[in-house]
Amino acid sequence: MADTFRITLGQLNPTVGDIDGNAAKARAAWEAGRDAKADMVALPELFITGYNAQDLMMKPAFHTAAIEAVKALAVDCADGPTLAIGCPWVEGTELFNAYLICRGGRIVSRVLKHHLPNETVFDEVRVFDAGPLGGPYSVGNARVGSPICEDAWHEDVAETLQETGAEFLLVPNGSPYYRDKMETRLNQMVARVVETGLPLIYLNMVGGQDDQVFDGASFALNPGGKLAMRMPVMTEAITHVDLERGPDGWRVVEAEIAPQPDEWEQDYHVMVVALRDYMAKTGFKKALLGMSGGVDSALVATIAADAIGPENVRCVMLPSEYTSPESLEDAEACAKALGCHYDYVPIAEGRAAITNTLAPLFEGKEPGLTEENIQSRLRGLLLMAMSNKFGEMLLTTGNKSEVAVGYATIYGDMAGGYNPIKDMYKTRVFTTCEWRNANHRDWMMGNAGTVIPQRIITKPPSAELRDDQKDSDSLPDYPELDAILDILVDQDGSIADCVAAGFARETAQKVERLLFLSEYKRFQSAPGARLTKHAFWLDRRYPIVNRWRDKS
């Protein structure tokens, strides 16, 4: 009879800083593993603290509390399977990103992360010291190698583990989503399997933390790179994975392979999870937003309804004399289709009072952008008043195109606590609205069917701050703008690259100028769900004061 080994994988959603809560989740996973007669229960990277804790991790009281919590867990979980959990670890004056192996009431082994990522949203070189290349640890009848997250993206760690006796690899991760990330992960892990000849189990955490969403989708590979099992995306799950040892070593017993949704569904799911967890982890139960009758606020309202339930979402129409009848109709129709609360709060009286107050100072000056911005800022004032009064989080509704070029009013429509569509270009907003109208999933708390009226999707975009205003009066048409922004932001390209792609130099230079001038707005903007490797915040860090312009 072949040797067997069972690992219980806890693909779970920790909360940064909630050490007691995270320990309780770990204990529940361990109990599930014990009941399933597992040999080992595994949790993701830095699970006890939550990830990414950034500079909080360096606070001595914090990382000391985390280590003590794992020591207490080890005692609680003494009688049963080995527990493996991510935790900071201190040796002398050095702080490490560690994976702690607990058995018999104590920590019996620890793995120290060797390669510290220092790119995109990661800044681990700032926080941690690099551990040495190490060997495997023993659990029952197996020798397990655990490259921690980034360590599995490099050949040397897995190679050293294989050479020092590891029989299979268990990779604990805090790996956040970006579009097409699963394919990138899979390619990297297949490479490790081919190089070492060892089976590999990739365990990822799940859930939202600030702008990042950890998308789960944990999986296992057998030698040759064949996928043996995969857990669901964006969903907490505890799964028991069996291995059998035959003449050629350990092999993962093939099990369910959860489907991998397409990029449109994954992006939408990320925005829902990001908002749901941001609100839950900050203590908000209800949300509100300004409902303009436009496509962006309609999509944000839909995401909010799917994240926390339509009964917990307040949509507020704040019309001025420039608001079209179509926008009034569309905003109300969308709110009703979603099943959200709808309020109608005209701003004419408040705007008149502000205009009269400023009239002596502005005498002799032509009306213009200032007066347009007063409308937006008055709406922001009223929405924040409602947020304060009702205890509802205000959501902002600017898409990535607008956030990039500053086509939003600071302290106006930029006011709020979270922006679900911050990393989604306008052209993708339109397509995502169509996708949501055509699709409904069981993780969506909102209504099925056409919840965003078609006219909202098809009418020309407008801020409606003056007569007959269109976004295209101030900006290139969105397909052109988004294509240029993709080159300048997502590809980190140049003006010359834009020209080579067929865009007018003057247009590309205008977009670049707006991009740089808007840095101060982004610095003060609400966080939002990260969908790409070039989201505005930790992925792309530019100075606010910047007089450089690309002359290529």
Side-chain angles (χ1 to χ4, degrees):
M1 182 177 175
D3 286 343
T4 61
F5 191 92
R6 172 168 283 187
I7 301 180
T8 296
L9 302 180
Q11 178 180 288
L12 300 176
N13 181 359
T15 298
V16 165
D18 184 10
I19 292 174
D20 291 342
N22 298 338
K25 282 178 174 279
R27 190 177 294 106
W30 178 85
E31 290 170 354
R34 180 195 59 194
D35 294 346
K37 296 183 170 28
D39 298 282
M40 179 180 183
V41 176
L43 281 304
E45 176 184 21
L46 291 173
F47 184 82
I48 197 68
T49 57
Y51 193 67
N52 183 347
Q54 299 177 286
D55 285 6
L56 177 61
M57 193 69 74
M58 294 189 285
K59 192 173 184 67
F62 180 69
H63 59 241
T64 299
I67 294 167
E68 291 303 314
V70 171
K71 289 179 178 178
L73 263 178
V75 173
D76 290 348
C77 302
D79 186 17
T82 295
L83 174 68
I85 185 168
C87 180
W89 187 253
V90 174
E91 292 187 4
T93 60
E94 294 183 305
L95 177 65
F96 298 99
N97 180 338
Y99 203 52
L100 303 181
I101 315 304
C102 307
R103 185 169 57 252
R106 63 190 183 91
I107 298 168
V108 296
S109 300
R110 82 278 184 280
V111 179
L112 306 180
K113 192 170 182 178
H114 179 66
H115 291 286
L116 303 176
N118 192 39
E119 59 174 1
T120 60
V121 297
F122 302 109
D123 205 359
E124 288 199 13
V125 172
R126 173 184 175 88
V127 177
F128 294 110
D129 293 286
L133 289 170
Y137 51 90
S138 295
V139 180
N141 59 346
R143 289 176 60 77
V144 186
S146 283
I148 302 173
C149 200
E150 181 78 9
D151 282 348
W153 292 58
H154 298 265
E155 297 176 19
D156 55 349
V157 177
E159 182 180 81
T160 299
L161 288 167
Q162 184 265 331
E163 289 174 350
T164 53
E167 297 173 298
F168 62 85
L169 301 176
L170 168 67
V171 184
N173 293 270
S175 180
Y177 174 87
Y178 59 74
R179 205 171 292 138
D180 300 323
K181 181 71 170 283
M182 184 61 190
E183 183 177 354
T184 303
R185 286 188 196 123
L186 195 58
N187 289 339
Q188 287 286 344
M189 296 309 108
V190 166
R192 301 294 87 79
V193 167
V194 170
E195 291 156 6
T196 63
L198 301 177
L200 182 149
I201 298 169
Y202 183 102
L203 171 60
N204 195 20
M205 68 174 58
V206 73
Q209 169 58 32
D210 293 346
D211 65 322
Q212 297 159 50
V213 168
F214 301 92
D215 52 319
S218 304
F219 60 90
L221 301 170
N222 273 320
K226 184 180 180 183
L227 188 65
M229 76 94 193
R230 183 168 59 212
M231 294 172 70
V233 299
M234 317 290 179
T235 304
E236 283 195 300
I238 294 174
T239 296
H240 311 294
V241 176
D242 292 317
L243 296 97
E244 292 181 349
R245 180 157 52 190
D248 298 322
W250 291 105
R251 297 293 183 268
V252 178
V253 176
E254 294 189 6
E256 182 180 359
I257 296 175
Q260 189 73 18
D262 64 26
E263 66 177 51
W264 298 99
E265 179 168 342
Q266 289 200 68
D267 272 10
Y268 190 82
H269 203 166
V270 165
M271 292 186 291
V272 169
V273 169
L275 179 59
R276 182 181 294 159
D277 276 4
Y278 190 81
M279 292 188 63
K281 292 177 180 182
T282 55
F284 281 91
K285 293 180 170 55
K286 295 177 179 286
L288 79 156
L289 67 143
M291 194 74 162
S292 68
V295 69
D296 298 314
S297 61
L299 181 58
V300 169
T302 306
I303 292 167
D306 285 336
I308 60 173
E311 69 278 8
N312 295 313
V313 181
R314 180 188 303 268
C315 300
V316 187
M317 164 54 88
L318 301 114
S320 74
E321 65 268 35
Y322 302 115
T323 303
S324 67
E326 292 81 9
S327 291
L328 293 172
E329 294 167 9
D330 293 343
E332 185 172 7
C334 185
K336 287 185 174 178
L338 289 167
C340 299
H341 181 90
Y342 179 76
D343 283 321
Y344 179 83
V345 183
I347 67 168
E349 187 177 344
R351 186 181 175 216
I354 293 170
T355 301
N356 292 336
T357 300
L358 292 170
L361 292 174
F362 288 0
E363 188 175 359
K365 300 285 187 182
E366 287 294 319
L369 184 61
T370 300
E371 284 68 27
E372 293 181 20
N373 285 343
I374 285 172
Q375 296 175 61
S376 180
R377 290 187 176 122
L378 176 55
R379 290 181 171 120
L381 170 70
L382 296 171
L383 289 167
M384 280 305 305
M386 295 178 215
S387 174
N388 294 158
K389 184 63 69 175
F390 302 130
E392 300 167 350
M393 178 181 284
L394 176 57
L395 306 179
T396 70
T397 60
N399 60 70
K400 189 173 185 177
S401 310
E402 296 172 349
V403 171
V405 297
Y407 196 66
T409 304
I410 196 164
Y411 321 124
D413 54 330
M414 288 179 67
Y418 203 75
N419 182 356
I421 64 170
K422 186 176 182 178
D423 197 29
M424 177 169 280
Y425 285 124
K426 184 83 167 191
T427 46
R428 290 188 74 95
V429 168
F430 289 116
T431 307
T432 301
C433 289
E434 298 277 17
W435 180 89
R436 175 57 179 85
N437 277 344
N439 294 276
H440 193 269
R441 302 288 184 263
D442 57 8
W443 45 263
M444 299 175 182
M445 298 177 72
N447 294 333
T450 301
V451 290
I452 302 174
Q454 194 62 30
R455 188 167 63 180
I456 288 179
I457 301 171
T458 57
K459 67 184 177 185
S462 171
E464 294 192 327
L465 297 174
R466 62 175 183 269
D467 284 328
D468 199 30
Q469 184 182 30
K470 301 289 185 292
D471 289 5
S472 55
D473 298 339
S474 306
L475 300 171
D477 286 336
Y478 282 112
E480 182 179 25
L481 174 63
D482 289 357
I484 292 172
L485 287 171
D486 178 73
I487 293 170
L488 296 178
V489 176
D490 295 76
Q491 300 179 44
D492 213 13
S494 65
I495 297 297
D497 293 327
C498 296
V499 173
F503 300 106
R505 181 178 300 276
E506 297 75 16
T507 304
Q509 287 174 332
K510 175 184 177 181
V511 172
E512 185 208 48
R513 176 178 175 275
L514 292 172
L515 178 66
F516 286 150
L517 287 178
S518 302
E519 197 64 47
Y520 82 100
K521 289 187 177 183
R522 288 190 291 274
F523 191 79
Q524 300 178 66
S525 65
R530 176 184 188 248
L531 304 175
T532 70
K533 289 179 70 176
H534 289 81
F536 292 122
W537 189 33
L538 295 178
D539 283 298
R540 184 183 182 279
R541 310 179 202 188
Y542 271 67
I544 297 172
V545 176
N546 169 23
R547 295 181 66 175
W548 182 83
R549 298 293 181 268
D550 184 359
K551 302 290 200 299
S552 65

